[in-house]
Amino acid sequence: ITFVLNEKQIFPIKTATSCRLKWSWSSLILTTGETDSCHRSSKSFLTPDNFDNFHNTPEKIRDRKKMLEGKWPGHGCEYCKNLEQAGGRSDRQFQNTVPGVYPKELNKDQTLTKVKPTVIEVIFNNTCNFACIYCKSSVSSKIEQEDKKFGENLWTLHTGKKDIYKRQDEISKKLNPLFFKWLEKNVTTIQRLQILGGEPLVQKEFYDVIDIIKRNPNKELELNVVSNLNIPSKQFNKFVDTINDLLKTRSIKRFDINASVEGFGPEQEYVRYGFNTDLFNKNFEYMLNNSVFRLGFLSTITALTLKTMPRFIDQLNEWKKVKNVYWYPHMVLPIKESVLSTVNFDYEVFANEVKYVNDNYQIKNIDDKNSLDLFNGIATQIQSQPSDPQKVKDLTNFLSAVDRRRNLNWTKTFPWLKTYVGENK
């Protein structure tokens, strides 16, 4: 194997399948006792006895060895493999362009399979004020409540897969203290800390992390939060001011916030159930004008949201006039199984929206170029896959089940879908 060390500090392992995330990243899902190195890859299970080894589990080492050989590891890496084989740009390719965020011991030895983590991502619990239709009970307390009330599983309804999540308070009670103990010791050496939910801004644990950082400042630390921004504005403004103080005191290097959004108005409020467009805009614009945060949108592309991309892109471009806002689009998972997946439709259904994005999305820097490449990778995969009329029919049945839960009417919110189904009976 030939390895080339990039002088610009880009991930140095250069095999055909290498991925920075496999060496750098560990996600910790403390509600279920799981860890992985990518949301799409297989998980390892944690106990109090093996917790400190979460970054070097047998499964992660196995996948690193495969990548060193230039082989696809499987176990979830098919997402990127299929995108690349379809001619699109994959997350793996995108991640390998991120400078600097990888274990520095690889600069001396690119054959290592046991390394120290540089990126930690953590989910403390499933407390959330949203019930997005593609989500599940393990990361949404609202969906967990709905599932119990209606005796059916939302995740199973749109994927056909069982959601095996069962609330495991005993695991969480044991692992959360171990994480905070680990973080207290290691927060000054990691490069990036990412906090997911549920919704972090309504969770006590997020503010516990802030307290640890105040006690253990790290001027090289990038702190990242994924949030729906839909908390009361007074509380949200206080959060922004708190992070501003961390930056002013150089307790952290940078703060990134990924706002979970891919549209505005009734369609978004249906898909991300709990979303309030006016509240989102008010809170986002407060950050836009009162912070030096790195602002971004994390967009889950589904058949229901791709149709609303023109309005989304127009609003994004307006905000980019004030400050650059990056965009990270990705397909809903699982791609083939989910009735919400765009690949179930003929490409022509979305061709105008894809063209609009390409014609109008403002390209100001390399981040914007990467964003458009990711979006077009999604479009390429829609084109490369045959449509599935049965899945489209299943989608309408799924939406009818959602309507029963929430007293909604999908035919009024998505008239184009009603027309499409009527024309393709």
Side-chain angles (χ1 to χ4, degrees):
I1 304 171
T2 302
F3 299 95
V4 179
L5 182 62
N6 192 310
E7 292 181 355
K8 294 183 179 179
Q9 298 302 299
I10 301 299
F11 183 61
I13 299 177
K14 304 297 182 182
T15 65
T17 61
S18 65
C19 177
R20 180 182 66 88
L21 297 185
K22 289 292 184 184
W23 275 263
S24 305
W25 180 311
S26 272
S27 290
L28 298 167
I29 304 98
L30 300 181
T31 46
T32 57
E34 296 171 302
T35 181
D36 57 45
S37 56
C38 169
H39 300 305
R40 299 173 180 89
S41 64
S42 59
K43 300 184 186 304
S44 304
F45 292 92
L46 298 171
T47 67
D49 293 332
N50 71 2
F51 183 83
D52 283 346
N53 200 42
F54 63 78
H55 191 61
N56 294 298
T57 66
E59 292 80 9
K60 294 179 184 181
I61 292 173
R62 172 201 66 200
D63 291 350
R64 291 167 192 159
K65 288 179 178 178
K66 286 283 188 180
M67 287 183 170
L68 286 174
E69 296 170 359
K71 299 176 181 178
W72 287 102
H75 307 285
C77 291
E78 294 84 357
Y79 177 87
C80 288
K81 177 184 178 182
N82 293 337
L83 264 176
E84 292 177 27
Q85 290 181 347
R89 181 173 172 81
S90 71
D91 287 2
R92 180 191 77 87
Q93 292 170 321
F94 168 75
Q95 289 293 339
N96 286 356
T97 68
V98 177
V101 189
Y102 63 86
K104 295 309 177 190
E105 53 264 44
L106 293 176
N107 288 335
K108 294 182 178 180
D109 185 353
Q110 293 94 50
T111 65
L112 293 174
T113 56
K114 291 185 178 181
V115 291
K116 295 179 180 179
T118 55
V119 182
I120 300 297
E121 181 177 81
V122 60
I123 296 175
F124 294 110
N125 57 63
N126 71 341
T127 302
C128 190
N129 52 349
F130 276 17
C132 303
I133 59 174
Y134 47 76
C135 198
K136 53 186 175 180
S137 55
S138 59
V139 283
S140 170
S141 54
K142 292 288 188 182
I143 291 177
E144 183 181 14
Q145 293 164 8
E146 276 192 356
D147 284 351
K148 289 180 180 179
K149 179 179 179 180
F150 292 94
E152 60 186 7
N153 188 280
L154 189 69
W155 175 257
T156 303
L157 288 175
H158 88 84
T159 66
K161 294 175 174 289
K162 290 184 178 179
D163 180 8
I164 60 174
Y165 170 75
K166 293 181 180 179
R167 180 171 284 280
Q168 301 185 46
D169 289 326
E170 291 305 313
I171 291 178
S172 183
K173 287 177 182 178
K174 292 178 181 178
L175 296 185
N176 267 287
L178 291 176
F179 172 77
F180 282 111
K181 182 179 179 181
W182 183 92
L183 187 65
E184 192 86 46
K185 292 180 179 179
N186 293 279
V187 72
T188 57
T189 60
I190 59 176
Q191 292 176 260
R192 189 169 177 85
L193 176 60
Q194 305 191 155
I195 303 174
L196 280 64
E199 170 50 47
L201 301 190
V202 300
Q203 296 177 357
K204 173 183 178 297
E205 289 84 354
F206 168 72
Y207 301 97
D208 291 338
V209 168
I210 298 302
D211 289 339
I212 287 179
I213 293 173
K214 288 179 179 179
R215 293 195 298 270
N216 303 276
N218 177 358
K219 64 181 181 180
E220 299 301 322
L221 177 66
E222 298 174 2
L223 180 61
N224 171 237
V225 171
V226 177
S227 172
N228 58 47
L229 306 193
N230 268 234
I231 64 172
S233 292
K234 183 177 180 179
Q235 179 185 349
F236 185 82
N237 295 352
K238 183 178 179 181
F239 148 73
V240 172
D241 295 342
T242 297
I243 302 300
N244 278 335
D245 288 340
L246 289 181
L247 291 165
K248 289 176 183 177
T249 59
R250 300 191 69 192
S251 298
I252 58 175
K253 176 183 179 180
R254 194 176 86 191
F255 182 75
D256 300 356
I257 186 160
N258 293 329
S260 299
V261 65
E262 52 279 319
F264 305 98
E267 299 90 348
Q268 181 75 3
E269 291 171 2
Y270 185 104
V271 172
R272 288 190 181 271
Y273 190 61
F275 186 90
N276 181 308
T277 297
D278 292 338
L279 180 60
F280 180 94
N281 291 350
K282 182 179 181 180
N283 287 343
F284 186 82
E285 288 177 1
Y286 182 83
M287 283 195 304
L288 192 68
N289 295 298
N290 296 281
S291 78
V292 292
F293 301 171
R294 185 169 183 259
L295 306 178
F297 289 154
L298 182 65
S299 298
T300 301
I301 305 300
T302 70
L304 303 182
T305 56
L306 185 50
K307 294 292 289 183
T308 63
M309 279 291 110
R311 181 181 176 187
F312 171 79
I313 291 298
D314 287 346
Q315 181 62 74
L316 176 54
N317 284 339
E318 283 300 309
W319 282 332
K320 286 175 70 174
K321 293 177 182 178
V322 180
K323 182 187 300 182
N324 195 58
V325 181
Y326 67 91
W327 179 40
Y328 184 80
H330 64 95
M331 294 184 79
V332 68
L333 295 174
I335 294 174
K336 292 185 178 180
E337 292 87 349
S338 174
V339 298
L340 293 161
S341 180
T342 53
V343 300
N344 300 328
F345 289 77
D346 295 316
Y347 176 73
E348 289 71 23
V349 175
F350 309 113
N352 288 338
E353 287 75 26
V354 171
K355 184 177 186 303
Y356 190 94
V357 173
N358 277 278
D359 289 347
N360 292 278
Y361 181 57
Q362 294 178 3
I363 303 294
K364 293 186 174 182
N365 54 38
I366 188 63
D367 284 343
D368 295 336
K369 178 65 168 58
N370 284 334
S371 298
L372 193 59
D373 285 344
L374 287 172
F375 177 79
N376 284 322
I378 294 170
T380 299
Q381 190 154 0
I382 301 171
Q383 289 178 292
S384 69
Q385 304 245 358
S387 61
D388 190 335
Q390 183 58 50
K391 284 284 188 185
V392 175
K393 182 179 179 181
D394 292 342
L395 170 60
T396 63
N397 293 333
F398 168 70
L399 295 179
S400 294
V402 171
D403 286 352
R404 289 193 296 272
R405 284 178 172 225
R406 301 172 180 177
N407 194 29
L408 300 173
N409 187 336
W410 71 264
T411 62
K412 292 183 178 180
T413 308
F414 307 101
W416 71 267
L417 178 59
K418 181 181 178 181
T419 301
Y420 178 85
V421 172
E423 292 174 347
N424 289 273
K425 284 185 177 179

